[in-house]
Amino acid sequence: MVVPHTHWDREWYLPFQRFRVGLVRVLDEVLDAMAADPAYRFTMDGQLAAVEDYLEIRPERHGDVARFVAEGRLAVGPWLILADEFLCSGETLLRNLEYGMRGAAALGGAMPVGYLPDQFGHCAQMPQILSLAGLRAACLWRGVPAHVDRDAFDWTGADGTTIRTRYLPGGYGNASGLFTGPAEGLPDRVAAFVSNAQDWAADGTLLAMYGADHSAPAREITASGLRVATLAEALTGLDGPGDGLPRVTGELRSHARANLLPGVISARVPLKQAMARAERLLIRYAEPLSALWLTDRSACERLIDMAWRSVIACGGHDSVTGCGSDETAQQVAARMAEAGQTAQAVVDLVAASLAGAAPKDALVVVNPSPFERTGLVLADLPEDRASLTDGRGRPVPFTVPVQRLEHAATLLDETVMDDLSRLLGRVHERELYGHEIVSWAGVDGVFTVTVSRHASGAYAYEDLRRAVLDAGPGPWTVRTVAEPVVTVAALVTVPPLGRAVLTARPVAPAGPAPVPGALRTDPYGFEPVLDNGLLRVRVAGDGTLSLRGADGVEVHGVGRIVHGGDAGDTYNHAPPPGDRLLDRPSRVTVEEICSGPLTGVYEITREYDWPAGAGDAATVPADVTTRVELRAGEPFARCEITMDVRCRDHRVRWHAPLPRAAAESYAEGQFAVVRRGLSAEGGGGERPIPTFPAESFAAAGGLAVLLDHVTEYEISESGAEMALTLVRSVGYLSRNRNPYRDEPAGPEVPAPAAQCQGPLTVRLAVLPYAGGWHEAGLPRLAEEFRHDLLAVPGAGAGGAAGTGWGGRLSVGGDGVVMTALRERDGRLEVRLVAEHPTATEAVVRGDFTAAWTAGIQGSPLSPLEVSRDEGASWRTARVPLRPFEIATVHLAGA
């Protein structure tokens, strides 16, 4: 069967709008051909976005598109965008499919095939994701292992879901030249294609993918005598029973059959950080908090939809990957920023609602997690009330443990004015320099205005105006002075998906003793030490860390910084000839930032001299600063690594020895914890270096690193050490001669911005552990590290917060992770994943009356039994889960 198609990169070596001009030309040709020839078929490459992009320019052709889709001649969807599956979250992949199928349905129906033509490998949960959308067949190219010797195989996902998958030997353009050349030569070209393809055939059908990047097939193909079909028609019956087909389990990241291009994981690291920030704001704050705390969500719903479309678009396999031109990367970064800002606007609406329901001397702390959390928040309090109490239904206010960190400046401005009335131009009713006016006084040529973050007491602008005008001629020294404010860290316990309202009180109230926490201990007087009873952290003389957990597991030399060259490109790292790895600093300084019962911080600065470029004799100075923090109650050390990137064509990695030698690693990402070995399978013209992506944590040999963005990691061949890529600097989109890749991955376009020059900060946390990753509770620890408690200063007189579900829902269960929460058609939708190697059970408790599982489009699947414990007001629904099963639960009532 001949499948006419195109693969359309929305943005790549050209930015989006310049590529769209070509898209309009191509689809004009396709639609004209379909209108003229009822036998003509065409398949868009699995993504609806290209069709939507076209219709924005050609809205008059909407009817043609809808008619051809309804007739089954034009295959669109099921995805909105062709995402890189490892550089966006699992939830973003699901929403991508949800948006794509819904949009395609509005045009007449989505192609019922999980078409994944050009992604750089495939995640372990893709079979389950496709199955949840009702798709029983997949079709793909890259990442297929060497033991697959047919063009069809059974692919089993992390949870055990199996789907029939069509492999495309030679890629999605395996028949792109079939109709090139004189018509009389077509039989010979067909015979050559059959000769190459027939050894792969799992059945009697050979799939000839006639198309390529950014092009339209010739119109005359229907006169060739060959059967022309959409991909959906060609794969009809593929999901049926089959015997003797190869079986593949888990992710597809083999280099055996095609280039995997693994260097995109570490290209343009700031893009990966921006994507993670935008996803986190949208998925774990904006969407769930608006559902939990707001009754009027009309504005939020539109903002959330806008943010989702931007986030999904940024996940494109030539977008978040950073393997496009500098213009493209700039556009993607701007879109990511806008998505994050849109999500933050929703968070601001929620914060304003919560602030308005709390008095001005209060602090509202919101828990984004579905389980009770105890964690640190920062608050600015008046000097004389630098204490917080929590009166959540307690007969006596409970003193919250507080540690003073720093004082804010009190003198905000001092200006000499000949005409004091100029001061009135700075005042907006009561606001001055972002504060509220408390009082004023003019004495001996000095006019002092005292302000506060939240002023109380009477105020009238007319009184201030009269005092200014009556003050007499100048010059006047005008001082704006803030009431003394101190920043404190408070250790707060907040109920699941709930809030705690803390009230500022006079200093030294009665209450319990401070909670033991990150107290500095230095018994020998030689090296800085932090110890909170769960983890002991010692800073060594070379700037690395020694860690010892409460279970006795210890490791030394954590955080060694290693610099090496990179002669590769945005697709593949490749060290230059004679590369030197440099890891010894010329100077190390350690400064104590704070030490107390709740948090302790050291700042470690290591100075290096690194080559200015790969192979250069000239060097540039480089300072790498690590702020290591230990907090009360946390078994991990937080690290914030900052550097000013000045080198070109290089790679900087963070290294940590493992407490015990490892033969495998475990990495979380896209709804799964994936087990990987120490090597990668090669054979496809690309050096198979064993660097892998991890989203929220990577663990091996008793050491785990918690991450705040998708990060490239590697375990050494001996299994003795883990390395994380902090930054990788290259100057080309693709090099024609990359030492680690046989063929170009794209045009040799200079990409100087991919050198990632300038300031860079990477956040991570590290902990030693005994036993397995699940026994250490790594999914929950990653949740606590990645999702801070939200603190909102009170701004009202107190009263009821928004109604909604806030504080009336919790989720528990071994390894059960909540990946999304939103309001949907009057119901609350909660997405759960069992990140656990054995069967488990999710326990959902809350103020609901009915619960059921649902598909990703919202259709109900199975009712859940809802029980109420005797004397309890909340109800409980239990959801049995296979290892790594994804479940969508809908809740009604309340």
Side-chain angles (χ1 to χ4, degrees), residues 1-5 41-46 68-78 101 104 108-116 134-140 164 166 168 203 205 207-209 227-240:
M1 291 190 187
V2 177
V3 179
H5 74 96
R41 301 287 193 271
F42 192 76
T43 297
M44 286 304 296
D45 58 350
F68 298 144
V69 171
E71 291 173 355
R73 295 200 285 140
L74 176 61
V76 299
M101 295 191 73
M111 176 171 62
V113 177
Y115 189 31
L116 305 161
L135 302 174
R136 304 302 179 190
C139 182
L140 49 82
R164 186 61 48 79
R166 190 65 178 250
L168 299 174
D203 54 28
T205 302
L207 200 59
M209 301 296 291
R227 181 175 174 189
V228 177
T230 65
L231 185 64
E233 292 172 326
L235 299 187
T236 299
L238 180 67
D239 59 342

Side-chain angles (χ1 to χ4, degrees), residues 565-874:
D566 196 328
D569 48 40
T570 62
Y571 290 101
N572 294 81
H573 160 75
D579 188 29
R580 290 188 304 140
L581 299 180
L582 305 175
D583 66 351
R584 292 188 178 182
S586 58
R587 185 167 180 263
V588 178
T589 58
V590 181
E591 179 185 359
E592 182 185 85
I593 302 302
C594 66
S595 178
L598 303 184
T599 179
V601 179
Y602 285 105
E603 187 169 275
I604 308 159
T605 300
R606 285 173 280 183
E607 300 176 13
Y608 301 87
D609 289 299
W610 288 338
D616 284 1
T619 62
V620 295
D623 291 352
V624 179
T625 300
T626 300
R627 289 175 65 98
V628 57
E629 177 185 10
L630 192 59
R631 297 181 179 181
E634 291 186 346
F636 49 82
R638 295 170 179 261
C639 297
E640 184 177 276
I641 305 157
T642 302
M643 69 183 79
D644 187 359
V645 180
R646 300 182 185 180
C647 304
R648 303 179 312 278
D649 301 317
H650 73 137
R651 182 176 69 170
V652 180
R653 300 210 287 182
W654 179 96
H655 286 242
L658 303 180
R660 56 182 183 270
E664 59 199 13
S665 67
Y666 294 87
E668 195 279 338
Q670 297 77 44
F671 300 135
V673 179
V674 180
R675 177 189 177 200
R676 297 178 176 129
L678 304 185
S679 61
E681 184 180 53
E686 179 179 58
R687 181 151 179 170
I689 60 175
T691 57
F692 300 105
E695 185 180 355
S696 72
F697 69 78
L703 187 81
V705 181
L706 311 180
L707 307 165
D708 83 339
H709 67 276
V710 175
T711 301
E712 176 186 88
Y713 79 95
E714 180 178 0
I715 308 299
S716 64
E717 291 182 6
S718 64
E721 190 172 58
M722 178 188 295
L724 305 180
T725 302
L726 300 180
V727 65
R728 193 168 71 85
S729 298
V730 293
Y732 284 89
L733 184 155
S734 172
R735 288 183 184 267
N736 292 339
R737 298 181 65 185
N738 185 311
Y740 275 19
R741 191 184 61 239
D742 289 350
E743 299 176 353
E748 192 171 69
V749 174
Q755 298 284 3
C756 299
Q757 302 284 283
L760 175 75
T761 298
V762 176
R763 293 177 59 248
L764 54 88
V766 59
L767 71 151
Y769 66 91
W773 62 267
H774 55 289
E775 295 168 312
L778 295 185
R780 176 162 174 158
L781 294 178
E783 161 82 12
E784 295 180 357
F785 171 68
R786 290 165 63 89
H787 305 120
D788 292 332
L789 299 175
L790 178 67
V792 181
T803 54
W805 289 79
R808 297 187 293 136
L809 185 70
S810 71
V811 177
D814 288 342
V816 176
V817 176
M818 186 188 80
T819 64
L821 186 155
R822 61 173 163 169
E823 191 276 336
R824 191 173 192 181
D825 300 326
R827 304 180 299 274
L828 197 68
E829 180 178 275
V830 185
R831 188 107 62 218
L832 307 173
V833 183
E835 292 197 346
H836 202 261
T838 60
T840 186
E841 181 181 66
V843 181
V844 182
R845 298 185 67 248
D847 193 5
F848 54 84
T849 57
W852 59 93
T853 58
I856 67 169
Q857 295 296 342
S859 56
L861 297 178
S862 302
L864 295 170
E865 182 178 345
V866 175
S867 62
R868 173 185 284 179
D869 296 337
E870 185 176 352
S873 59
W874 283 12

Side-chain angles (χ1 to χ4, degrees), residues 525-542:
F526 295 120
E527 294 174 323
V529 173
L530 299 169
D531 193 332
N532 66 359
L534 298 175
L535 182 67
R536 179 182 175 87
V537 182
R538 179 171 56 85
V539 183
D542 62 357

Side-chain angles (χ1 to χ4, degrees), residues 2 179 186 190 220-228:
V2 177
F179 295 92
L186 178 61
V190 171
E220 60 271 15
I221 57 176
T222 56
S224 66
L226 300 172
R227 181 175 174 189
V228 177

Side-chain angles (χ1 to χ4, degrees), residues 477-523:
T477 298
V478 179
R479 292 176 179 167
T480 304
V481 179
E483 290 184 332
V485 171
V486 61
T487 300
V488 302
L491 189 65
V492 186
T493 299
V494 193
L497 298 170
R499 64 172 183 156
V501 180
L502 311 180
T503 305
R505 290 287 183 256
V507 176
V515 175
L519 297 170
R520 180 187 177 193
T521 58
D522 195 1

Side-chain angles (χ1 to χ4, degrees), residues 165-230:
T165 303
R166 190 65 178 250
Y167 167 51
L168 299 174
Y172 54 82
N174 62 6
S176 59
L178 196 61
F179 295 92
T180 302
E184 58 270 21
L186 178 61
D188 291 338
R189 294 192 294 273
V190 171
F193 175 84
V194 170
S195 176
N196 289 329
Q198 63 186 357
D199 288 342
W200 288 97
D203 54 28
T205 302
L206 299 180
L207 200 59
M209 301 296 291
Y210 173 49
D213 293 357
H214 319 130
S215 62
R219 290 192 182 192
E220 60 271 15
I221 57 176
T222 56
S224 66
L226 300 172
R227 181 175 174 189
V228 177
T230 65

Side-chain angles (χ1 to χ4, degrees), residues 427-431 437 459-461 464:
V427 177
H428 304 279
E429 187 54 36
R430 193 171 189 172
E431 183 270 333
I437 295 173
Y459 169 82
Y461 175 80
L464 173 62

